[in-house]
Amino acid sequence: MSPTILVVEDEPEIRHFLRSSLGAEGYRVVESPNGRRGEVDAGMHKPDLAIVDLGLPDFDGIQVIRHIREWSTMPIIVLSARIQERSKIDALDSGADDYITKPFGVGELLARVRVALRHAAQPPAGKELSFGEVQINFEARRATRDGEEIHFTAIEFRLLACLAKHLGMVVTHRQLLQEVWGPTHAQDTHYLRVYMKQLRDKLEPDPVRPRYLLTETGVGYRLVADD
Amino acid sequence: MSPTILVVEDEPEIRHFLRSSLGAEGYRVVESPNGRRGEVDAGMHKPDLAIVDLGLPDFDGIQVIRHIREWSTMPIIVLSARIQERSKIDALDSGADDYITKPFGVGELLARVRVALRHAAQPPAGKELSFGEVQINFEARRATRDGEEIHFTAIEFRLLACLAKHLGMVVTHRQLLQEVWGPTHAQDTHYLRVYMKQLRDKLEPDPVRPRYLLTETGVGYRLVADD
DNA sequence: CGCGCGCATTAAGAACCCGTAAAAAAATCG
DNA sequence: CGATTTTTTTACGGGTTCTTAATGCGCGCG
């Protein structure tokens, strides 16, 4: 079943451009001409991805994003004019996942859409993952270390799964918080500090000098398997 | 099919010089003697690249750039006399991608044109970039040098990403500052000096004599990969 | 030649972020 | 219902990163 994409855009020209570009790729497209309709359509159609213009006539696209983020983690891509630098950043902070600056080409649009959908849809990449003496089976939700079973709490495991899904890549604080605690806790970074410590105590040979579960100061964390 | 290049230039001498230099390389050339015609021709011919003189008789070349940028992402190269320092920067901030200062040689012209066309042809989804012994993976937010991992702080990486997004072309101080520090710091150019030094220390084989991360005095910086 | 401008370079204090521990609150389970 | 586990809060010390200011250099210009 092809993914559904919600397009919230007031200018008919751009909206039709989006519809035909995305439609040609096989996506199903739902169009909303303003913010109010956008929110309703988001709730009704439960799309796999939303593309939201920041310069909407009735109310700010950021409002739409905030409201959607209250109940959904669907990927949101923001459209912004070159002038709206500031609100672009606000949008990302409000929970948008990516942005495209107008004017933009079909190639760029489709590339961003693919990335966003891939990130959202992916089940924990492989079913197995191992590093050092640790082995994790995501399907069975179990892990062993030196053959001994390790126990994870629900949150610990979700956090680990989220990191493993993006193995080797940095996962931002916001992504982790959003994925594990939901959109309402996207700024409670102290949760991460506590749980990273617990994961390290369970996974790392020397928890004080992490080798697999690495910190990216000011950005997020990342999990790396051995070389 | 050879790329089409639009030349918006009032002085016949320079216009003919451009036509023959570009024509000899196999490009198709469309000439416009003033700004008004330039805009029309841009819409009609949909060229792959526009070269716009800043000192046009009817109205400012910056107007032309702004108007084109409302509907197109085609690369735009600006021609400026040495006196027009200020408007050169305005042009870049308005969406031009690169500039050439008059007088200029064929070699410089063709090099800039090649870079701009190559840049346009590649979807910005490009996740990888390499120059010298350095390799950067933007998706994973990682970089290596001679196989060794290099560590970047949050700001360093954002700066590098911004430069890489416009590989081979100039990025103005203002653009960099806005993208990395936000609009409130658009004039704090001293930040750039400090961080450029750090990037060079991490990326350049000989940081004192930069080969990739180049200074454009009075304008901004430019990242070039080796050819 | 001396001056001013913009850039490179350095260093130090401020601000911020992270790891850590431990207690309080909530949820789970027998 | 009480015990145990899990989650949420809070606090603080140490370390990293960011900001700021001072200095030196090279170049163009008067």
Side-chain angles (χ1 to χ4, degrees), chain A residues 31-209:
Chain A
E31 301 178 39
S32 307
N34 57 55
R36 182 176 310 282
R37 281 290 301 277
E39 291 184 14
V40 176
D41 287 336
M44 271 179 44
H45 293 89
K46 302 276 164 67
D48 301 287
L49 165 74
I51 300 178
V52 180
D53 193 327
L54 282 184
L56 291 171
D58 50 347
F59 53 84
D60 207 307
I62 291 180
Q63 293 301 323
V64 183
I65 295 168
R66 291 229 173 89
H67 286 152
I68 290 179
R69 272 288 169 272
E70 281 171 15
W71 58 270
S72 167
T73 59
M74 75 174 76
I76 300 177
I77 297 178
V78 152
L79 297 184
S80 77
R82 208 170 263 274
I83 320 114
Q84 303 166 312
E85 283 288 321
R86 181 65 232 162
S87 47
K88 181 175 78 186
I89 296 170
D90 288 343
L92 291 174
D93 284 340
S94 300
D97 298 282
D98 200 356
Y99 66 88
I100 306 181
T101 306
K102 291 188 286 190
F104 53 87
V106 190
E108 179 174 6
L109 171 72
L110 295 177
R112 296 281 160 95
V113 167
R114 275 193 298 271
V115 169
L117 286 175
R118 170 152 37 90
H119 277 196
Q122 248 185 18
K127 307 169 172 90
E128 293 258 342
L129 174 66
S130 67
F131 45 89
E133 288 305 317
V134 177
Q135 267 208 326
I136 303 171
N137 184 327
F138 286 97
E139 215 172 17
R141 266 188 71 86
R142 302 178 71 179
T144 56
R145 174 173 178 174
D146 300 325
E148 298 282 307
E149 174 123 18
I150 327 176
H151 168 77
F152 290 109
T153 73
I155 286 186
E156 284 166 9
F157 198 84
R158 265 184 287 166
L159 203 53
L160 183 58
C162 188
L163 287 161
K165 198 159 79 182
H166 309 281
L167 188 64
M169 310 200 308
V170 176
V171 189
T172 65
H173 297 138
R174 236 204 26 242
Q175 272 177 293
L176 290 168
L177 287 163
Q178 210 156 281
E179 185 106 356
V180 177
W181 280 270
T184 50
H185 294 80
Q187 73 277 45
D188 298 337
T189 52
H190 53 276
Y191 286 9
L192 292 177
R193 299 209 288 278
V194 173
Y195 278 90
M196 287 300 163
K197 163 113 177 91
Q198 305 197 156
L199 282 180
R200 279 171 177 154
D201 284 346
K202 292 181 179 181
L203 297 175
E204 293 278 357
D206 178 9
V208 183
R209 234 167 299 281

